[in-house]
Amino acid sequence: MATPMKPSSFFARSALALAVATSAVPIVLAPMQAHAQSQQQDFNIQAGALGDALNRFGQQAGILLSYPASLTDGRRSPGLQGQYGVDEGLARLLSGTGLQAVRQANGGYALALVEALSLEATQISSRALSGRAVTEGTGSYTATGGSNTATRLGLTPRETPQSITVVTRQHMDDFGLNGLDDVMRHTPGITVVPYDSERTTYYSRGFTIDSFQYDGIPTTRDTRYSSGDTLSDSAIYDHIEVLKGASGLMTGMGDPGGTINLIRKKPTREFHGHITAGAGSWDNYRTEVDLGGSLTESGNIRGRAVVAYQDKHSYLDHYERKTKVYYGVLELDLSPDTLLTLGANYMNSSPKGSSWGGTPLFDSNGNFNDTSRSFNTGAKWSSWEQYSRSVFATLEHNFAGGWAAKINLTNQVNGYDAPLAAAAGGQPNPATGLGAILSLGKFDGEIKQNAIDAYVKGPFSLMGREHEVVIGATASRREWKTKDYYPAYDSAVEDFYNWNGDIAKPDWGPAYLTEEVTRELGGYITGRFNLRDDLKLILGSRVADYRGENTTETGIWVPYAGVVYDLNKIFSLYASYTSIFKPQTRMDEQGKTLEPLDGDSYEVGIKGEFFDGRLNGSLAYFEVTQDNYAILSGSRTPGGSSAYTAVQGVKTKGYEAELSGELLPGWQAQMGYTHKTARRNGVKVATWEPEDQFSLYTTYRLPARLSPVTVGGGARWQGKSWNTLTNPVRGTREELTQGAFWLLDLMARYQISENLSASLNVNNLLDKKYYYNSEINSYTWGEPRSVSISSRWDF
């Protein structure tokens, strides 16, 4: 796939301001040499991001080219092929960008806006308010802009006193990461555990991640019922941020493991688009269309639309899934200082042959119940259809003195229709196949979430220095309604090992109705104090009320403190602290909901920003202490589900190292290593997530005449993981262990022409056989080797 298009610039500036910046902040792209401007030479520069094209032009022409990075942000170049002089070549390279090259007295060139271009003056400077990093079109594996996931201050990764991992648009495109599960598998320090064909859980630092943000607006996933959260298609996202550690300051009821923030694509100023089509192993077919640009001559209204469709069969017997995705967004410049954004998206996942729970872990002899990887416990008609619909609006306004305000509104509806049957229980006899039990049920429900987030942000002076503050408030309402059916049915499976899912649908009988309403209301304030030029202190606090069906908490106080000290222009030391509060849905043996999870999270580390932000690195040490930590009790609730016990004094310790971005020109990489242990009274807990993980994904664009070729690969390693379970046959506590293993991936892309590219991806190259085990007596095989090819047309 070719380098994707790049959205419009964050910062709108007037022509005068840009001209001043041009002379003030030069960026040297190539050594200055004595070339005559009229001398003809060969150029071979593909269409793409303007910054990349100018970089290659400067190298090939041997000239000095100076401009501020913000001037090229969001612009694309048509490329340059053939023999040209420097002046003519630059003119063609800048064609349609609204920029022109101006020769300087020293023989070099600077960029400036074309005087007739008035569009740039109408671009909304309030986009700087969001602090949102844009990765599309940069070709990079790191983000250089700001993030609001942790503090709303729009800080860069180096300025943020917590670990943040960003999976960029280029990374997703290079490795064909079409779904959120794929992205999380590539995220350092994240473990993806599938429960069955439709449900997955993400773990970070030993804890599940149930906190999601969409463009910074928090939502909560209910792990009891899957309704589209983890099946999110990545086609509509510019990048995905993962904040490691507690996130209560912004999300309220935060997870101690982390928060996932999905940053949607935004409209581009110039008209751009692409079409992709691909096919892969097990009849996996996918198409995608992405269009964006100005809808008015002045460019004050911009739009973008994304449509994706996937028809995916599987290595699992009699299983397939169809996915449809639609996304549209509009940006309207209401005034030079006011920006209105309106958008909507829809996703539908329609599977057949869905499993429900994994494969029974033990056979009737109490041994590991080994099956083929293609074995599907689901009935042929079993299905867990999931859909997600959301509409959102954002209004941003810049005031005098650097102050700005922003209000976000979102409505999200997640639903499911799940008639399910799976041979997922019991202990089958290896000789006869008897002993397995059919899990059967039908679930029809919907979760509606409405949220509003509003804040003001700006500078203030204190003791002769300028500081920053954010003051905001959030409110949300979450309503869940479900109808559950549990029919009378012969649950015995005649021959488990010859099971093919061919059974009749039951008469579902009466429905059991459940309704839950959860409300949250909170206010927050965060300040970034400029104690010295090299020392920043961040203090924040959130006060929240939480009202659920079984839990009501008022006046919850979530403090936050962080400090960042710049050792030099490259390295910074940091430390942070925040508290944890998270209501739980798990129940004990009496059917009582466990008390909220609470505790404290600490983190210290060092971060580095190399090559003007093109490469970022970090090393962190963290500690999390918790009370009311849920562990399996070995019994059942009155409703028949697994019961849990809340224990006190669980402590998790570990460290993480990460490096992402451009190592050398044309060489992108993202790598990370994580180690963690969780103990209670000296005994390890949460051991089904591996204590040690390593990942490396990298691509390299070949030089010179081989430049149309990009090659890359990836490696994931995880150490031993295990779970101590009660063997239902022997009645003894036993350890079930998955040994350490490697997974290797490969990719290659060839730029056939200026607009057309073709890609090849191979996952699990060595066809490693491995499985996932969670807290329950079942397991799921990992996906075997798969191959996919795709083509992309950019226009």
Side-chain angles (χ1 to χ4, degrees):
M1 291 176 284
T3 301
M5 55 188 169
K6 191 173 185 179
S8 54
S9 172
F10 278 145
F11 303 97
R13 299 179 179 177
S14 66
L16 176 60
L18 285 169
V20 172
T22 300
S23 61
V25 191
I27 298 178
V28 179
L29 295 180
M32 181 176 173
Q33 299 180 7
H35 281 272
Q37 275 74 16
S38 61
Q39 180 177 339
Q40 298 280 314
Q41 54 185 304
D42 288 319
F43 291 97
N44 181 21
I45 300 173
Q46 301 295 328
L50 180 58
D52 292 342
L54 289 171
N55 183 31
R56 290 190 289 272
F57 184 90
Q59 292 172 345
Q60 294 179 25
I63 62 169
L64 177 72
L65 187 55
S66 304
Y67 63 93
S70 59
L71 193 55
T72 58
D73 188 27
R75 290 183 165 87
R76 287 174 59 91
S77 169
L80 186 66
Q81 306 287 333
Q83 287 193 342
Y84 298 96
V86 171
D87 289 340
E88 184 183 4
L90 277 172
R92 289 178 176 268
L93 200 66
L94 295 170
S95 176
T97 66
L99 300 174
Q100 61 183 356
V102 180
R103 193 182 303 177
Q104 305 296 292
N106 61 6
Y109 290 81
L111 298 186
L113 287 167
V114 177
E115 290 183 358
L117 184 69
S118 61
L119 177 62
E120 202 60 47
T122 68
Q123 290 292 297
I124 301 302
S125 60
S126 60
R127 291 189 200 174
L129 173 67
S130 66
R132 178 177 59 90
V134 173
T135 70
E136 192 178 22
T138 65
S140 176
Y141 277 22
T142 195
T144 57
S147 169
N148 281 324
T149 308
T151 64
R152 286 285 191 274
L153 286 167
L155 304 178
T156 67
R158 183 182 170 188
E159 295 170 332
T160 303
Q162 283 183 267
S163 297
I164 293 183
T165 297
V166 178
V167 180
T168 66
R169 185 70 255 170
Q170 188 65 51
H171 189 154
M172 289 187 273
D173 288 341
D174 284 344
F175 287 93
L177 309 183
N178 297 319
L180 184 57
D181 280 356
D182 301 325
V183 174
M184 290 299 102
R185 290 188 182 99
H186 277 232
T187 304
I190 301 299
T191 303
V192 180
V193 177
Y195 285 138
D196 43 42
S197 60
E198 314 304 326
R199 293 182 296 171
T200 52
T201 295
Y202 309 137
Y203 289 87
S204 172
R205 298 183 175 180
F207 313 104
T208 59
I209 299 179
D210 297 324
S211 295
F212 288 72
Q213 295 181 15
Y214 294 86
D215 286 336
I217 304 301
T219 64
T220 301
R221 176 198 179 207
D222 193 323
T223 56
R224 293 172 293 178
Y225 292 83
S226 190
S227 53
D229 300 287
T230 61
L231 291 179
S232 295
D233 194 285
S234 66
I236 71 175
Y237 301 118
D238 175 272
H239 65 281
I240 295 174
E241 300 177 4
V242 180
L243 173 70
K244 310 289 183 61
S247 56
L249 182 61
M250 289 296 101
T251 61
M253 311 303 110
D255 281 315
T259 296
I260 299 170
N261 191 4
L262 299 98
I263 309 299
R264 300 181 182 100
K265 291 178 177 177
K266 293 298 186 288
T268 55
R269 184 177 56 126
E270 297 85 9
F271 174 75
H272 298 300
H274 71 257
I275 299 173
T276 63
S281 299
W282 314 301
D283 296 325
N284 182 6
Y285 304 101
R286 178 182 174 88
T287 58
E288 180 183 316
V289 179
D290 187 335
L291 302 172
S294 296
L295 302 180
T296 59
E297 185 175 351
S298 66
N300 66 321
I301 301 177
R302 302 167 294 281
R304 188 163 188 175
V306 179
V307 178
Y309 176 76
Q310 187 165 3
D311 186 349
K312 177 183 181 180
H313 291 234
S314 172
Y315 66 98
L316 292 173
D317 297 332
H318 61 267
Y319 178 81
E320 62 179 288
R321 181 198 295 165
K322 294 180 173 65
T323 303
K324 301 175 183 178
V325 180
Y326 305 95
Y327 170 67
V329 61
L330 287 173
E331 285 186 343
L332 301 92
D333 298 342
L334 303 183
S335 77
D337 291 309
T338 308
L339 174 67
L340 175 64
T341 302
L342 302 171
N345 61 267
Y346 170 81
M347 185 276 292
N348 178 268
S349 171
S350 300
K352 289 183 179 180
S354 298
S355 60
W356 184 22
T359 302
L361 193 55
F362 299 101
D363 64 20
S364 62
N365 298 322
N367 299 321
F368 178 73
N369 181 32
D370 196 359
T371 64
S372 68
R373 286 184 287 186
S374 63
F375 185 83
N376 184 0
T377 61
K380 289 183 177 179
W381 50 261
S382 184
S383 173
W384 197 321
E385 182 178 358
Q386 301 177 48
Y387 62 86
S388 177
R389 304 190 300 265
S390 67
V391 293
F392 57 92
T394 301
L395 183 64
E396 308 174 47
H397 181 77
N398 277 351
F399 298 95
W403 280 81
K406 184 173 183 178
I407 182 169
N408 301 281
L409 300 115
T410 182
N411 169 268
Q412 183 169 323
V413 179
N414 289 44
Y416 50 89
D417 181 7
L420 298 168
Q427 291 81 48
N429 187 302
T432 66
L434 298 174
I437 299 174
L438 189 70
S439 299
L440 191 69
K442 184 178 185 298
F443 310 95
D444 185 3
E446 195 169 69
I447 300 170
K448 297 179 180 179
Q449 299 186 73
N450 294 296
I452 180 172
D453 178 83
Y455 63 92
V456 294
K457 171 184 175 182
F460 67 96
S461 295
L462 179 66
M463 300 179 67
R465 287 186 170 271
E466 188 173 274
H467 316 277
E468 299 174 82
V469 66
V470 176
I471 303 172
T474 62
S476 67
R477 183 182 187 275
R478 184 178 186 273
E479 181 182 18
W480 171 46
K481 295 182 179 180
T482 185
K483 297 178 181 179
D484 298 349
Y485 305 79
Y486 299 98
Y489 200 85
D490 183 4
S491 61
V493 177
E494 291 185 1
D495 187 352
F496 176 82
Y497 297 102
N498 289 307
W499 163 268
N500 63 4
D502 192 8
I503 60 172
K505 283 187 178 182
D507 179 5
W508 294 109
Y512 298 87
L513 305 180
T514 301
E515 293 187 23
E516 291 183 5
V517 176
T518 302
R519 296 178 176 88
E520 290 186 44
L521 180 65
Y524 57 89
I525 181 170
T526 308
R528 184 172 185 253
F529 298 92
N530 182 15
L531 304 183
R532 298 190 337 187
D533 291 345
D534 57 0
L535 182 62
K536 306 297 187 292
L537 174 66
I538 300 173
L539 296 176
S541 181
R542 183 185 188 94
V543 178
D545 290 347
Y546 176 91
R547 300 180 186 275
E549 293 298 314
N550 301 303
T551 303
T552 297
E553 299 282 346
T554 59
I556 305 164
W557 180 51
V558 181
Y560 182 93
V563 61
V564 180
Y565 174 64
D566 295 334
L567 295 173
N568 50 41
K569 293 183 179 180
I570 296 177
F571 292 104
S572 298
L573 298 175
Y574 74 91
S576 64
Y577 160 80
T578 187
S579 64
I580 299 162
F581 179 86
K582 181 185 179 183
Q584 305 195 68
T585 58
R586 290 167 169 170
M587 297 182 180
D588 61 17
E589 297 172 14
Q590 287 74 45
K592 181 182 178 181
T593 303
L594 300 184
E595 291 294 320
L597 183 72
D598 61 14
D600 299 285
S601 177
Y602 306 86
E603 183 174 329
V604 296
I606 184 171
K607 294 187 179 184
E609 191 176 74
F610 312 93
F611 312 131
D612 296 323
R614 297 193 301 276
L615 180 68
N616 284 283
S618 64
L619 176 63
Y621 172 82
F622 57 87
E623 283 191 12
V624 181
T625 59
Q626 291 179 95
D627 289 328
N628 300 323
Y629 182 84
I631 62 172
L632 282 168
S633 67
S635 302
R636 295 282 174 176
T637 68
S641 60
S642 297
Y644 289 82
T645 299
V647 300
Q648 314 303 313
V650 174
K651 178 173 285 189
T652 303
K653 299 180 180 180
Y655 53 85
E656 297 176 325
E658 185 173 341
L659 192 66
S660 62
E662 187 179 63
L663 302 175
L664 290 173
W667 183 10
Q668 296 289 334
Q670 184 163 37
M671 65 187 78
Y673 177 81
T674 300
H675 169 81
K676 66 85 188 170
T677 56
R679 289 183 171 89
R680 176 181 177 259
N681 297 331
V683 178
K684 292 182 178 180
V685 298
T687 55
W688 57 87
E689 184 192 9
E691 292 185 349
D692 297 276
Q693 295 173 274
F694 170 79
S695 65
L696 167 63
Y697 291 93
T698 184
T699 61
Y700 181 64
R701 187 181 67 247
L702 301 181
R705 293 185 178 181
L706 296 177
S707 60
V709 178
T710 299
V711 295
R716 280 179 284 160
W717 174 84
Q718 67 175 52
K720 181 183 76 170
S721 60
W722 68 96
N723 203 355
T724 304
L725 301 169
T726 299
N727 189 310
V729 178
R730 300 168 184 160
T732 56
R733 296 286 286 175
E734 299 177 8
E735 276 190 6
L736 183 75
T737 301
Q738 166 66 67
F741 63 88
W742 285 92
L743 296 178
L744 303 180
D745 302 330
L746 290 178
M747 68 79 61
R749 180 174 59 248
Y750 182 71
Q751 193 70 36
I752 300 170
S753 67
E754 180 178 324
N755 302 100
L756 180 64
S757 63
S759 297
L760 168 71
N761 290 92
V762 183
N763 295 325
N764 194 0
L765 175 68
L766 302 181
D767 200 24
K768 173 66 179 179
K769 188 176 183 180
Y770 62 100
Y771 66 86
Y772 299 98
N773 173 238
S774 60
E775 300 172 87
I776 56 180
N777 288 342
S778 67
Y779 73 96
T780 304
W781 288 115
E783 187 172 291
R785 177 173 51 234
S786 64
V787 180
S788 63
I789 57 173
S790 63
S791 61
R792 171 167 170 150
W793 179 266
D794 285 279
F795 50 87

